[in-house]
Amino acid sequence: MLAVTMIWLAGIALGAFQVPTLWKRRLLKDLAAFSVLLLSGLVLSTFLALSVPVPKPLDMVNFLIGRK
């Protein structure tokens, strides 16, 4: 649980450092991209720290195109 807390504290610190700069410069598309990537990275890192199995991206592609 300590690992999850540290992951999220690092993410919050990174966001607190970057978001005001992007907002002040009105780089809204960059802010949106940063937010999506940061949040997805935090979620995936949390899953990894909790040993939750995460499917591989290639498995999703194979599922979508119908390969086994």
Side-chain angles (χ1 to χ4, degrees), residues 12-66:
I12 290 169
L14 184 61
F17 180 72
Q18 289 293 324
V19 169
T21 304
L22 294 171
W23 185 261
K24 187 185 297 183
R25 293 183 183 180
R26 296 291 183 221
L27 299 173
L28 300 181
K29 291 180 184 177
D30 291 347
L31 178 60
F34 174 78
S35 300
V36 167
L37 291 173
L38 179 64
L39 185 61
S40 63
L42 287 173
V43 169
L44 288 173
S45 297
T46 302
F47 285 165
L48 181 65
L50 295 175
S51 299
V52 175
V54 179
K56 296 179 210 118
L58 187 57
D59 291 342
M60 181 62 78
V61 172
N62 287 335
F63 174 76
L64 292 175
I65 63 173

